[in-house]
Amino acid sequence: MLKHPLRHRLYLQLEPAAWGYGLSPTNWIICTLILLSFVGAILETEPSISSGEERVIRVLELFFSAAFIVEYVIRAWVCVEDRRYRSPVLGRLRYLITPAALIDLVAVLPLLFGVLGAQTLMLRFIRLLRIARLAQFGKLSRSVRYLADALISRRYELSISMVLAATVIMFASILLYLVEKDAQPEAFGSIPRAMWWAVITFTTVGYGDVYPVTQMGRLLAGLAALASVALVAMPTGIMAAAFSDAMQRGRHELDDEVPDRQNKENKNKHLDD
């Protein structure tokens, strides 16, 4: 297939992998539209803001949806620039059933179905996933990869801390059930009910809607609260170590890339001379 100049330029602007590093100006605009659409969908749920502004909200949503439809059609047109989808018909069909294209399709479904408003609220929120797809290359993807690798390397420590936390939560739930079930049958009348208190306590949220009233129950609750501090600190420390490893690895790779880039530039300069 002959390379179409306009199609090729649009492909470079729209496809993150083709742009090579970071986001292209066009994808920056698309990300901005996605964020504005997302914020608009959130504000739409507040009656004091949306009341009396239904027409403005509908016009804005029509604008966003129309922009995403145009983008979707252009992406389907330019996808043949990718060698995986070279065929004008079959190639485009293969592209349209890829996860990335399906996410793009979800972004335009509200307008395609002719339905806007609360009925399509979740579909409009899914648009936010497109930012992750558009930003999968460049600094962000590299940082995410470093972090994922660091977390994988700490998976055994994280698993142990989670199992330990689940075990202590279960024991605390059983003890509070035995001590408080007669005094508060609605709150501690069963182990699953007591687990609500245990989970809220161990996550240090502490809603205060459920709490022990007996002396023994309060003693056990105090011990459980103290144990929760240590158990929450364990995965926090593991995650902090993983973040540190990810940052150090990123710095080392960047330091290694600088001499390689300079060597390539010197080699190209020598060849030109």
Side-chain angles (χ1 to χ4, degrees):
M1 178 182 292
L2 295 176
K3 185 175 291 188
H4 192 287
L6 176 60
R7 187 178 63 204
H8 183 67
R9 286 198 296 271
L10 289 173
Y11 174 74
L12 293 177
Q13 286 288 323
L14 290 172
E15 181 55 43
W19 185 257
Y21 192 77
L23 288 176
S24 67
T26 301
N27 279 333
W28 271 113
I29 294 174
I30 293 171
C31 287
T32 302
L33 290 176
I34 292 172
L35 289 174
L36 290 175
S37 174
F38 183 72
V39 171
I42 292 175
L43 295 179
E44 185 181 338
T45 62
E46 174 53 52
S48 63
I49 296 176
S50 61
S51 180
E53 304 294 339
E54 290 80 5
R55 184 176 179 181
V56 175
I57 292 173
R58 184 172 179 82
V59 169
L60 288 174
E61 181 56 29
L62 286 172
F63 167 75
F64 289 131
S65 298
F68 295 139
I69 285 179
V70 171
E71 180 211 353
Y72 179 77
V73 172
I74 294 176
R75 284 185 184 276
W77 179 53
V78 305
C79 71
V80 293
E81 294 290 325
D82 190 328
R83 63 182 61 188
R84 295 173 296 176
Y85 314 113
R86 283 291 189 197
S87 174
V89 178
L90 294 178
R92 286 191 171 98
L93 290 176
R94 284 198 302 271
Y95 169 76
L96 292 177
I97 61 174
T98 59
L102 292 176
I103 293 175
D104 293 342
L105 179 62
V106 169
V108 303
L109 283 180
L111 189 58
L112 290 179
F113 287 162
V115 180
L116 296 174
Q119 297 90 337
T120 59
L121 194 60
M122 185 54 66
L123 291 178
R124 289 150 66 190
F125 284 152
I126 292 176
R127 290 174 180 170
L128 201 62
L129 296 176
R130 302 189 61 231
I131 293 182
R133 171 175 116 72
L134 295 175
Q136 63 182 321
F137 292 90
K139 292 182 179 180
L140 179 60
S141 66
R142 180 179 295 182
S143 301
V144 171
R145 191 181 74 242
Y146 293 156
L147 178 58
D149 292 343
L151 289 176
I152 290 173
S153 68
R154 297 286 197 284
R155 61 186 181 276
Y156 298 115
E157 294 91 334
L158 285 171
S159 299
I160 291 172
S161 65
M162 290 178 182
V163 170
L164 182 59
T167 302
V168 176
I169 287 174
M170 182 59 67
F171 272 107
S173 303
I174 294 172
L175 291 175
L176 264 295
Y177 160 71
L178 294 174
V179 173
E180 293 282 328
K181 64 178 180 178
D182 295 329
Q184 299 187 82
E186 292 185 359
F188 295 95
S190 67
I191 294 176
R193 293 182 189 180
M195 285 184 67
W196 166 254
W197 168 86
V199 171
I200 295 304
T201 300
F202 274 73
T203 55
T204 68
V205 176
Y207 288 134
D209 57 338
V210 177
Y211 53 89
V213 294
T214 65
Q215 294 299 325
M216 182 59 68
R218 289 176 177 177
L219 175 61
L220 293 173
L223 294 175
L226 292 175
S228 70
V229 175
L231 289 174
V232 170
M234 285 177 59
T236 303
I238 295 171
M239 293 285 288
F243 275 116
S244 178
D245 289 347
M247 292 176 63
Q248 298 226 353
R249 181 179 173 187
R251 291 196 192 97
H252 289 323
E253 286 203 8
L254 287 175
D255 292 340
D256 293 339
E257 284 180 2
V258 172
D260 292 339
R261 192 181 302 116
Q262 291 177 345
N263 291 334
K264 288 181 180 179
E265 290 177 355
N266 294 334
K267 183 177 180 181
N268 293 332
K269 183 178 180 181
H270 177 72
L271 292 175
D272 293 337
D273 295 338

